[in-house]
Amino acid sequence: MNLSLTNVCKSFGRGSSAKLVLDNINFQVNSGEFVALVGSSGSGKSTVMRLIAGLDTPSSGSILMDGVPVKGPGPDRGMVFQRYSLYPWMTTADNVGFGMRLKGMAKPEVQERTNYFLNVVGLAYAADKLPKELSGGMQQRVAIARALAADPKVLLLDEPLGALDLQIRESMQEFLYQLWSRTGLTALLITHDLEEALLMAQRVHILASNPGRIVRTVEADLDRSNLSHLRVSPEFLSLREDLAQCLRGLSQELVTSS
Ligand SMILES: Nc1ncnc2c1ncn2[C@@H]1O[C@H](COP(=O)(O)OP(=O)(O)O)[C@@H](O)[C@H]1O
Ligand SMILES: [Mg+2]
């Protein structure tokens, strides 16, 4: 699998009111990679996601999945958003099985895959619960199971942990990282949280705002065998501070130029 964005630009509006939101975005995600895109609010992160998801089209440039241009939404890209997107009237199991049923998969197979992916996210015991009976973290795990059950080539995560409390967020970061390392999935994480990106992703792109553009790319080659140790290790903290300064520099530019 190879997802590639080449010279992707996106403007909203026309004529003199046109606003350039993404300026020449270039990056790739290959099979088995966990890549992150970090930027502050309004830098264009969700716009990048929507373009990759095929919910909107670039003004110029190309987005290819295995060499084929993205023309619209498709099952090869699984999405998880910040807002819990579960159907409130369906049980956990029915939420996970929804896409498979829609595709006309036979009932026994839907059941088997649902059980399998509920196990993967550690929620087999909650199969019959409704979303309102689950914590925010658990709901996001159901959303992840649902995305994985559709067997996407790449999992697209747009601030998936953004609505969670700090403690739950930390345990979910560990959960997501373990999930990635166990299953070998391919993931693109979009977040404003630098620490989160560095904890999980092997490659981190920093997105500046107005217009959104990649200003720095880091290969975060860190020992991730113990994420709670990694969080406080000198190597991690100095890399995080270095990139935080880069992000702060960008917001400083904004203050002085406006
Ligand atoms: N459909 C749209 N029409 C006009 N402007 C938009 C639209 N979608 C996003 N924008 C603008 O693009 C910029 C980036 O938005 P977004 O991609 O949501 O950023 P982020 O996800 O990083 O917070 C913002 O200034 C936003 O107002
Ligand atoms: Mg967003």
Side-chain angles (χ1 to χ4, degrees), residues 12 19 21 39-48 56 158-159 210:
F12 288 109
K19 184 184 170 202
V21 166
S40 52
S41 167
S43 56
K45 300 184 298 298
S46 293
T47 303
V48 171
D56 202 346
D158 187 355
E159 309 252 18
N210 288 312

Side-chain angles (χ1 to χ4, degrees), residues 9-27:
C9 296
K10 179 68 182 173
S11 307
F12 288 109
R14 286 175 185 279
S16 58
S17 63
K19 184 184 170 202
L20 183 64
V21 166
L22 294 176
D23 185 14
N24 218 31
I25 304 292
N26 287 283
F27 70 90

Side-chain angles (χ1 to χ4, degrees), residues 62-83:
S62 67
I63 301 179
L64 306 179
M65 280 283 296
D66 290 331
V68 180
V70 165
K71 290 250 168 66
D76 53 347
R77 286 145 290 149
M79 311 279 298
V80 178
F81 301 99
Q82 173 172 346
R83 290 284 307 278

Side-chain angles (χ1 to χ4, degrees), residues 82 140 158-164 169 172-173 176 196 200:
Q82 173 172 346
Q140 280 305 66
D158 187 355
E159 309 252 18
L161 312 182
L164 304 176
R169 200 153 73 219
M172 280 295 287
Q173 288 165 351
L176 256 182
E196 184 167 297
M200 296 190 264

Side-chain angles (χ1 to χ4, degrees), residues 144-155:
I144 292 166
R146 182 175 60 184
L148 292 176
D151 199 22
K153 289 184 183 162
V154 58
L155 190 61

Side-chain angles (χ1 to χ4, degrees), residues 56-113:
D56 202 346
T57 49
S59 305
S60 62
S62 67
I63 301 179
L64 306 179
M65 280 283 296
D66 290 331
V68 180
V70 165
K71 290 250 168 66
D76 53 347
R77 286 145 290 149
M79 311 279 298
V80 178
F81 301 99
Q82 173 172 346
R83 290 284 307 278
Y84 315 136
S85 48
L86 303 179
Y87 299 108
W89 62 89
M90 285 186 198
T91 64
T92 297
D94 287 343
N95 265 290
V96 173
F98 182 74
M100 295 185 276
R101 288 197 304 277
L102 206 64
K103 279 200 292 190
M105 195 183 278
K107 211 173 169 188
E109 196 184 348
V110 172
Q111 244 163 27
E112 190 186 317
R113 287 180 67 83

